[in-house]
Amino acid sequence: MARRRSKNNLIILTVAAAIVLVVLSLVIHFSADLLELILRFRADKIATPEHIIAALQLVLFGILAYIVVRALNFTVFGLFRLRRGFDAPTLVQNVFSIIAFSLLFLLIFSWEFPNANLGALFTTSAIFGVILGLALQDTLGNFFAGISLQADRPFQVGDVITVGAQRHTGVVEEISWRAIKIRTFQNHVVLINNSSAAKEPIEVCPRDNLNARLVFFNTLYTDSPAKTIHVVREAVREADNVSDRITPVVRIRNLGDSGVDYECKYWLVDYAKYNDTDALVRQRIWYAFRRADLNFAFPTQTLHIERKPVTLGEVDGGALVERLAAVDIFAPLSVEETGMLAQAAVRHVFAPGETVIRAGEEGSSMFVVHNGRVQVQVNENGRPRPVATLNEGDFFGEMALFTGEPRTANVVAIEETEVLEIGHGAMKRVFDTNPDLVESLSFIISERRQGLVTHVDSDTSQGESSAGILSAIRRFFGIS
Ligand code: CMP
């Protein structure tokens, strides 16, 4: 984009220079005719024809000088960018242009009007000085405030700043000799005069700094603070754009009227995206609360009249039995046995992108997808690679549950997903009443393992025959 702008500038400068050169050469070439024309139409006697020609030439040479200065600016600062790898501050570029143009203009002026005493004109005219001073008061204020901003460098392009009583917040786009230009998070552009900015407090969140944010939440007094702190910390550290260089801090702010007030402090990788990250963090806290059976504190006034809100995916026991009966590995179970399993199952909700199971961890339960979809991923060369997508009615996590080995893959929610978790105890009761189930399970596990062997880095996932798995399950569950 910057390169395209430079190219356009170059084209405009070249065309303008060409036009001025043509007009200038015409004036010089036809100066005798022009002189005659002016003599014929001269109204007053103050200006001699030579003066008029000189003034015209001054204007044209002035334009040419401007173009030359722009071209010089372009070349000098282009070279600077090439050498240093970044743009020189706009203010420096502007000061360079102003000084270069003034010098050139004075040179042309004294060449065109050799008899005019410029020095005397500037030094003796006190009124001129006062008028100029008053007219340039604001401009010079901005200019010098801009210089001090450039010298101090309290912030740079790309930093997020908040300025003044109106608390304008946005990403700094430009610092010129007149103003600071910031782009707000509503994509508006705000210009703040350098002189106003110099008088106001400015909050700076530098781009290359780990800036922190705070998100507030609360729980009921009956919820354990130790558990709350652990659950929220683990949920937040996984969210996108939360830096893994510093562990989020969760602490009690206040023992409030309605419940215990907490704050969660976390550090961002890219501070300019803090709105999205705050929202994601709040979302993760909500889901983590659901899974850990923690409760947000409602205002005390409404505590007695509010019913428990209808929860996402709220189902009755009958629907749970139906769901489990439709899972192929539980097909051999009787209605009573499936009912036993349904009673022991625990429901959890996961946000899109949340990890349900992490490869390598210990696990003593399996899961059935009740609503939503999950993706099974293996770590290949240190990167997650999808191997399967599981939909409603599919199950996962059975390998660790039945063999006691670590989890073989990551399972991540693709969309908001509700899963039913079935623990070791519940499965053991089912195996005790229906030992045939072990055989069909060992077959499925062996098939999935074959699928994993081709992908996984770790050596824990060697393909294993269903007979080997069968005896592993029997051993682990103490089935004879
Ligand atoms: P477990 O090893 O306990 O945890 C990760 C789970 O991912 C694993 O059990 C299986 O349920 C599931 N899994 C592994 N490989 C596959 C596969 N190829 N297809 C479907 N599911 C799989």
Side-chain angles (χ1 to χ4, degrees), residues 383-408:
R383 288 165 153 253
R385 179 197 156 103
V387 290
T389 300
L390 304 178
N391 301 302
E392 284 177 19
D394 289 336
F395 64 92
F396 58 91
E398 77 294 342
M399 295 189 183
L401 169 65
F402 296 140
T403 60
E405 287 172 8
R407 299 289 190 195
T408 53

mmCIF file of all heavy atoms in Angstrom, residues 383-408:
data_model
loop_
_atom_site.group_PDB
_atom_site.id
_atom_site.type_symbol
_atom_site.label_atom_id
_atom_site.label_comp_id
_atom_site.label_asym_id
_atom_site.label_seq_id
_atom_site.Cartn_x
_atom_site.Cartn_y
_atom_site.Cartn_z
ATOM 1 N N ARG A 383 2.873 -31.060 15.340
ATOM 2 C CA ARG A 383 1.695 -30.265 14.965
ATOM 3 C C ARG A 383 0.469 -31.157 14.977
ATOM 4 O O ARG A 383 0.564 -32.315 14.608
ATOM 5 C CB ARG A 383 1.856 -29.705 13.545
ATOM 6 C CG ARG A 383 2.853 -28.610 13.475
ATOM 7 C CD ARG A 383 3.260 -28.330 12.065
ATOM 8 N NE ARG A 383 3.683 -26.939 11.956
ATOM 9 C CZ ARG A 383 2.997 -25.975 11.364
ATOM 10 N NH1 ARG A 383 1.855 -26.244 10.781
ATOM 11 N NH2 ARG A 383 3.434 -24.743 11.326
ATOM 12 N N PRO A 384 -0.707 -30.622 15.402
ATOM 13 C CA PRO A 384 -1.899 -31.463 15.414
ATOM 14 C C PRO A 384 -2.396 -31.740 13.991
ATOM 15 O O PRO A 384 -2.457 -30.813 13.179
ATOM 16 C CB PRO A 384 -2.922 -30.626 16.190
ATOM 17 C CG PRO A 384 -2.433 -29.235 16.127
ATOM 18 C CD PRO A 384 -0.952 -29.269 15.907
ATOM 19 N N ARG A 385 -2.713 -33.015 13.722
ATOM 20 C CA ARG A 385 -3.206 -33.351 12.387
ATOM 21 C C ARG A 385 -4.524 -34.119 12.559
ATOM 22 O O ARG A 385 -4.564 -35.126 13.282
ATOM 23 C CB ARG A 385 -2.161 -34.226 11.703
ATOM 24 C CG ARG A 385 -2.573 -34.661 10.316
ATOM 25 C CD ARG A 385 -1.716 -35.827 9.885
ATOM 26 N NE ARG A 385 -2.435 -36.570 8.884
ATOM 27 C CZ ARG A 385 -2.173 -36.504 7.594
ATOM 28 N NH1 ARG A 385 -1.192 -35.778 7.173
ATOM 29 N NH2 ARG A 385 -2.884 -37.193 6.730
ATOM 30 N N PRO A 386 -5.616 -33.637 11.926
ATOM 31 C CA PRO A 386 -6.909 -34.294 12.108
ATOM 32 C C PRO A 386 -6.909 -35.701 11.520
ATOM 33 O O PRO A 386 -6.392 -35.906 10.415
ATOM 34 C CB PRO A 386 -7.896 -33.402 11.343
ATOM 35 C CG PRO A 386 -7.124 -32.236 10.865
ATOM 36 C CD PRO A 386 -5.672 -32.499 11.024
ATOM 37 N N VAL A 387 -7.459 -36.674 12.267
ATOM 38 C CA VAL A 387 -7.586 -38.022 11.694
ATOM 39 C C VAL A 387 -9.041 -38.455 11.590
ATOM 40 O O VAL A 387 -9.358 -39.361 10.821
ATOM 41 C CB VAL A 387 -6.788 -39.083 12.504
ATOM 42 C CG1 VAL A 387 -5.304 -38.894 12.342
ATOM 43 C CG2 VAL A 387 -7.165 -39.093 13.964
ATOM 44 N N ALA A 388 -9.910 -37.828 12.358
ATOM 45 C CA ALA A 388 -11.323 -38.229 12.255
ATOM 46 C C ALA A 388 -12.211 -37.126 12.822
ATOM 47 O O ALA A 388 -11.770 -36.326 13.641
ATOM 48 C CB ALA A 388 -11.559 -39.516 13.036
ATOM 49 N N THR A 389 -13.449 -37.094 12.330
ATOM 50 C CA THR A 389 -14.453 -36.193 12.900
ATOM 51 C C THR A 389 -15.562 -37.071 13.470
ATOM 52 O O THR A 389 -16.020 -37.997 12.812
ATOM 53 C CB THR A 389 -15.026 -35.273 11.807
ATOM 54 O OG1 THR A 389 -13.945 -34.522 11.262
ATOM 55 C CG2 THR A 389 -16.053 -34.316 12.369
ATOM 56 N N LEU A 390 -15.952 -36.809 14.708
ATOM 57 C CA LEU A 390 -16.983 -37.625 15.351
ATOM 58 C C LEU A 390 -18.235 -36.773 15.557
ATOM 59 O O LEU A 390 -18.138 -35.617 15.982
ATOM 60 C CB LEU A 390 -16.462 -38.165 16.682
ATOM 61 C CG LEU A 390 -15.154 -38.971 16.605
ATOM 62 C CD1 LEU A 390 -14.710 -39.403 17.988
ATOM 63 C CD2 LEU A 390 -15.317 -40.198 15.709
ATOM 64 N N ASN A 391 -19.382 -37.350 15.225
ATOM 65 C CA ASN A 391 -20.646 -36.622 15.290
ATOM 66 C C ASN A 391 -21.511 -37.153 16.427
ATOM 67 O O ASN A 391 -21.085 -38.033 17.175
ATOM 68 C CB ASN A 391 -21.393 -36.772 13.956
ATOM 69 C CG ASN A 391 -20.555 -36.226 12.817
ATOM 70 O OD1 ASN A 391 -20.179 -35.070 12.826
ATOM 71 N ND2 ASN A 391 -20.211 -37.085 11.864
ATOM 72 N N GLU A 392 -22.740 -36.622 16.489
ATOM 73 C CA GLU A 392 -23.675 -37.059 17.537
ATOM 74 C C GLU A 392 -23.801 -38.576 17.542
ATOM 75 O O GLU A 392 -23.950 -39.193 16.486
ATOM 76 C CB GLU A 392 -25.057 -36.454 17.274
ATOM 77 C CG GLU A 392 -25.104 -34.999 17.650
ATOM 78 C CD GLU A 392 -26.445 -34.364 17.319
ATOM 79 O OE1 GLU A 392 -27.419 -35.103 17.135
ATOM 80 O OE2 GLU A 392 -26.478 -33.125 17.241
ATOM 81 N N GLY A 393 -23.732 -39.178 18.713
ATOM 82 C CA GLY A 393 -23.881 -40.629 18.832
ATOM 83 C C GLY A 393 -22.552 -41.360 18.745
ATOM 84 O O GLY A 393 -22.485 -42.541 19.095
ATOM 85 N N ASP A 394 -21.468 -40.687 18.293
ATOM 86 C CA ASP A 394 -20.146 -41.339 18.265
ATOM 87 C C ASP A 394 -19.533 -41.269 19.664
ATOM 88 O O ASP A 394 -19.927 -40.451 20.483
ATOM 89 C CB ASP A 394 -19.223 -40.637 17.272
ATOM 90 C CG ASP A 394 -19.647 -40.904 15.835
ATOM 91 O OD1 ASP A 394 -20.311 -41.932 15.611
ATOM 92 O OD2 ASP A 394 -19.347 -40.069 14.960
ATOM 93 N N PHE A 395 -18.533 -42.113 19.889
ATOM 94 C CA PHE A 395 -17.881 -42.108 21.209
ATOM 95 C C PHE A 395 -16.379 -41.988 21.033
ATOM 96 O O PHE A 395 -15.834 -42.241 19.965
ATOM 97 C CB PHE A 395 -18.243 -43.371 21.983
ATOM 98 C CG PHE A 395 -17.738 -44.622 21.333
ATOM 99 C CD1 PHE A 395 -16.499 -45.157 21.681
ATOM 100 C CD2 PHE A 395 -18.488 -45.270 20.345
ATOM 101 C CE1 PHE A 395 -16.016 -46.287 21.054
ATOM 102 C CE2 PHE A 395 -18.007 -46.402 19.721
ATOM 103 C CZ PHE A 395 -16.771 -46.911 20.071
ATOM 104 N N PHE A 396 -15.694 -41.589 22.104
ATOM 105 C CA PHE A 396 -14.232 -41.503 22.088
ATOM 106 C C PHE A 396 -13.709 -41.593 23.524
ATOM 107 O O PHE A 396 -14.491 -41.511 24.475
ATOM 108 C CB PHE A 396 -13.749 -40.212 21.415
ATOM 109 C CG PHE A 396 -14.257 -38.961 22.055
ATOM 110 C CD1 PHE A 396 -13.533 -38.336 23.074
ATOM 111 C CD2 PHE A 396 -15.460 -38.378 21.665
ATOM 112 C CE1 PHE A 396 -13.989 -37.182 23.680
ATOM 113 C CE2 PHE A 396 -15.922 -37.228 22.255
ATOM 114 C CZ PHE A 396 -15.195 -36.638 23.266
ATOM 115 N N GLY A 397 -12.393 -41.769 23.627
ATOM 116 C CA GLY A 397 -11.772 -41.817 24.962
ATOM 117 C C GLY A 397 -11.801 -43.216 25.555
ATOM 118 O O GLY A 397 -11.419 -43.417 26.711
ATOM 119 N N GLU A 398 -12.273 -44.208 24.740
ATOM 120 C CA GLU A 398 -12.407 -45.565 25.268
ATOM 121 C C GLU A 398 -11.055 -46.251 25.436
ATOM 122 O O GLU A 398 -10.908 -47.129 26.286
ATOM 123 C CB GLU A 398 -13.330 -46.393 24.349
ATOM 124 C CG GLU A 398 -12.722 -46.885 23.043
ATOM 125 C CD GLU A 398 -12.370 -45.779 22.070
ATOM 126 O OE1 GLU A 398 -12.881 -44.673 22.221
ATOM 127 O OE2 GLU A 398 -11.566 -46.037 21.162
ATOM 128 N N MET A 399 -10.046 -45.815 24.650
ATOM 129 C CA MET A 399 -8.767 -46.535 24.681
ATOM 130 C C MET A 399 -8.122 -46.423 26.057
ATOM 131 O O MET A 399 -7.709 -47.421 26.648
ATOM 132 C CB MET A 399 -7.835 -45.974 23.620
ATOM 133 C CG MET A 399 -8.328 -46.203 22.201
ATOM 134 S SD MET A 399 -7.063 -45.759 21.029
ATOM 135 C CE MET A 399 -7.894 -46.024 19.489
ATOM 136 N N ALA A 400 -8.011 -45.205 26.564
ATOM 137 C CA ALA A 400 -7.395 -45.014 27.883
ATOM 138 C C ALA A 400 -8.269 -45.646 28.962
ATOM 139 O O ALA A 400 -7.761 -46.257 29.911
ATOM 140 C CB ALA A 400 -7.196 -43.528 28.157
ATOM 141 N N LEU A 401 -9.585 -45.506 28.806
ATOM 142 C CA LEU A 401 -10.483 -46.048 29.838
ATOM 143 C C LEU A 401 -10.333 -47.559 29.964
ATOM 144 O O LEU A 401 -10.265 -48.118 31.056
ATOM 145 C CB LEU A 401 -11.937 -45.681 29.499
ATOM 146 C CG LEU A 401 -12.994 -46.401 30.334
ATOM 147 C CD1 LEU A 401 -12.908 -46.000 31.801
ATOM 148 C CD2 LEU A 401 -14.397 -46.102 29.816
ATOM 149 N N PHE A 402 -10.267 -48.243 28.811
ATOM 150 C CA PHE A 402 -10.290 -49.699 28.880
ATOM 151 C C PHE A 402 -8.916 -50.329 29.061
ATOM 152 O O PHE A 402 -8.805 -51.473 29.480
ATOM 153 C CB PHE A 402 -10.950 -50.272 27.617
ATOM 154 C CG PHE A 402 -12.393 -49.861 27.521
ATOM 155 C CD1 PHE A 402 -12.957 -49.497 26.311
ATOM 156 C CD2 PHE A 402 -13.190 -49.810 28.657
ATOM 157 C CE1 PHE A 402 -14.275 -49.097 26.226
ATOM 158 C CE2 PHE A 402 -14.508 -49.410 28.579
ATOM 159 C CZ PHE A 402 -15.055 -49.053 27.372
ATOM 160 N N THR A 403 -7.859 -49.613 28.700
ATOM 161 C CA THR A 403 -6.539 -50.243 28.802
ATOM 162 C C THR A 403 -5.674 -49.615 29.892
ATOM 163 O O THR A 403 -4.637 -50.163 30.252
ATOM 164 C CB THR A 403 -5.778 -50.094 27.461
ATOM 165 O OG1 THR A 403 -5.643 -48.710 27.191
ATOM 166 C CG2 THR A 403 -6.497 -50.776 26.325
ATOM 167 N N GLY A 404 -6.072 -48.436 30.390
ATOM 168 C CA GLY A 404 -5.285 -47.769 31.438
ATOM 169 C C GLY A 404 -4.079 -47.037 30.886
ATOM 170 O O GLY A 404 -3.293 -46.476 31.656
ATOM 171 N N GLU A 405 -3.924 -47.017 29.546
ATOM 172 C CA GLU A 405 -2.775 -46.303 28.960
ATOM 173 C C GLU A 405 -3.095 -44.818 28.785
ATOM 174 O O GLU A 405 -4.250 -44.433 28.836
ATOM 175 C CB GLU A 405 -2.447 -46.911 27.587
ATOM 176 C CG GLU A 405 -1.809 -48.271 27.717
ATOM 177 C CD GLU A 405 -1.676 -48.947 26.355
ATOM 178 O OE1 GLU A 405 -1.939 -48.279 25.339
ATOM 179 O OE2 GLU A 405 -1.329 -50.133 26.344
ATOM 180 N N PRO A 406 -2.064 -43.981 28.551
ATOM 181 C CA PRO A 406 -2.349 -42.544 28.342
ATOM 182 C C PRO A 406 -3.200 -42.321 27.086
ATOM 183 O O PRO A 406 -3.237 -43.177 26.199
ATOM 184 C CB PRO A 406 -0.956 -41.918 28.153
ATOM 185 C CG PRO A 406 0.012 -42.925 28.652
ATOM 186 C CD PRO A 406 -0.622 -44.267 28.503
ATOM 187 N N ARG A 407 -3.842 -41.167 27.020
ATOM 188 C CA ARG A 407 -4.668 -40.810 25.864
ATOM 189 C C ARG A 407 -3.821 -40.813 24.593
ATOM 190 O O ARG A 407 -2.688 -40.311 24.588
ATOM 191 C CB ARG A 407 -5.252 -39.406 26.040
ATOM 192 C CG ARG A 407 -6.168 -39.236 27.249
ATOM 193 C CD ARG A 407 -7.467 -39.933 27.063
ATOM 194 N NE ARG A 407 -8.440 -39.599 28.102
ATOM 195 C CZ ARG A 407 -9.552 -40.294 28.309
ATOM 196 N NH1 ARG A 407 -9.816 -41.384 27.578
ATOM 197 N NH2 ARG A 407 -10.390 -39.916 29.230
ATOM 198 N N THR A 408 -4.370 -41.367 23.519
ATOM 199 C CA THR A 408 -3.582 -41.521 22.286
ATOM 200 C C THR A 408 -3.708 -40.331 21.344
ATOM 201 O O THR A 408 -2.947 -40.212 20.398
ATOM 202 C CB THR A 408 -4.060 -42.764 21.514
ATOM 203 O OG1 THR A 408 -5.473 -42.637 21.355
ATOM 204 C CG2 THR A 408 -3.714 -44.035 22.248
#
